[in-house]
Amino acid sequence: MSALDNAIEILRCFSPQQPEISNADVIRLTGKPKSSTSRLLRQLKECGLLEQDATTRRYRPGLLVFELGRLHRSQNDFVALAEQHLRDVCAATGHTGYVAVLDGGEQVVLRVVRGTNPLQVVSPPGVRTPAFLTSNGRAMLARLSDAEIRANLAKPFPAVPPNAPRNITELMVRINEIRRTGYSSATEESLPGVGSLGFAVSNRDTGETVGVALSFPSQLTSAKERARLWQILRATAVELGRLCDDPVWLALDDAVPVRKAAAQ
């Protein structure tokens, strides 16, 4: 397991901002000795997980990584189902949408559905963001217990933009509201000028949970328009909840008439 952990640590050095790495990059990012780093990189290359540029001697993900990623994409029916429904939302609204999963305290983007609106800020697949800073990230956190949320958060609580939760107490207030309504929103928290609305949905059979979000220009989207967007997203969440037998959305859908009657 030690060798596997070391290999995974090296593979995590890759990112959309750093698609190629050198020996020096790995040493800097992982703190590993030069001798063991060279050996591990060579072994990962030999087994097909890495390729090496003959000119620059830098490493990039190998064909085996691509093949495994493609297999994951083709077999992950739950993610594909969420993406399919999100495409309808993006086509109806013109905004860009995301399907993401939770990895510890981070949200990882799996799928991006580009909107048709001219003003777009797109986070590509593979991008990681602290989950508590995004709408669908917080929605996924809300599916965890309070103890699990606290265990997954970075310590100490990081510095955040003004609109984001500044401590665990403020975060839990938002988490509890998401648990009550299913509604999750963020305004200029992970990206300046960008707002988002999101929800989480779980597959009862597999135990998988994904977060779905719609992003939009925060300054150009009125409160009335956000309410309209949430109604569209909520209908999608309810439909996905029914298809995946998600007990949370089944309960939230049943509670809607009760809440409407109470409001009247």
Side-chain angles (χ1 to χ4, degrees):
M1 288 305 296
S2 177
L4 180 59
D5 290 340
N6 289 333
I8 291 172
E9 191 174 1
I10 288 178
L11 293 175
R12 288 190 182 279
C13 292
F14 293 100
S15 70
Q17 295 76 33
Q18 188 164 271
E20 293 187 340
I21 57 176
S22 65
N23 283 45
D25 292 327
V26 176
I27 293 169
R28 174 176 54 83
L29 293 168
T30 67
K32 296 183 182 302
K34 182 177 179 180
S35 58
S36 60
T37 295
S38 298
R39 184 176 65 255
L40 276 168
L41 288 169
R42 185 172 61 253
Q43 291 171 340
L44 290 173
K45 174 187 171 184
E46 290 171 353
C47 69
L49 286 170
L50 294 182
E51 295 176 353
Q52 188 176 30
D53 188 287
T55 303
T56 66
R57 310 304 296 169
R58 295 175 68 84
Y59 292 89
R60 55 179 174 263
L63 183 60
L64 180 57
V65 174
F66 170 77
E67 291 172 340
L68 292 173
R70 185 174 60 180
L71 180 63
H72 169 77
R73 185 182 180 94
S74 66
Q75 295 299 316
N76 198 329
D77 294 337
F78 180 43
V79 173
L81 180 65
E83 181 185 15
Q84 175 187 339
H85 281 70
L86 180 59
R87 288 190 178 278
D88 294 335
V89 173
C90 295
T93 64
H95 296 302
T96 296
Y98 299 92
V99 179
V101 292
L102 198 63
D103 184 16
E106 293 182 316
Q107 169 190 286
V108 183
V109 174
L110 293 184
R111 307 286 174 87
V112 179
V113 180
R114 289 178 178 267
T116 55
N117 290 346
L119 186 59
Q120 295 186 31
V121 178
V122 177
S123 297
V127 165
R128 290 173 173 265
T129 307
F132 77 96
L133 291 179
T134 69
S135 60
N136 49 344
R138 283 197 287 264
M140 289 187 285
L141 287 174
R143 295 299 183 101
L144 305 178
S145 68
D146 290 4
E148 288 172 324
I149 293 173
R150 292 175 185 273
N152 284 332
L153 291 178
K155 299 176 181 62
F157 207 84
V160 296
N163 293 334
R166 293 169 295 178
N167 51 54
I168 186 64
T169 301
E170 291 186 4
L171 174 61
M172 293 312 300
V173 169
R174 298 202 194 186
I175 291 292
N176 288 327
E177 183 65 11
I178 294 168
R179 289 169 175 166
R180 187 179 71 83
T181 66
Y183 178 91
S184 183
S185 67
T187 302
E188 300 187 7
E189 297 180 41
S190 60
L191 291 171
V194 178
S196 69
L197 297 172
F199 65 86
V201 63
S202 297
N203 186 323
R204 189 195 289 265
D205 291 338
T206 65
E208 298 172 279
T209 296
V210 297
V212 178
L214 199 65
S215 66
F216 45 81
S218 57
Q219 299 298 322
L220 302 179
T221 308
S222 66
K224 182 178 180 180
E225 175 62 8
R226 294 184 193 212
R228 184 184 78 87
L229 293 176
W230 172 242
Q231 290 306 309
I232 295 172
L233 268 181
R234 191 187 190 286
T236 300
V238 169
E239 178 63 18
L240 281 170
R242 289 171 179 164
L243 291 172
C244 299
D245 199 22
D246 181 346
V248 172
W249 277 110
L250 293 176
L252 285 170
D253 188 36
D254 289 341
V256 168
V258 175
R259 288 201 295 271
K260 286 182 178 178
Q264 293 173 354

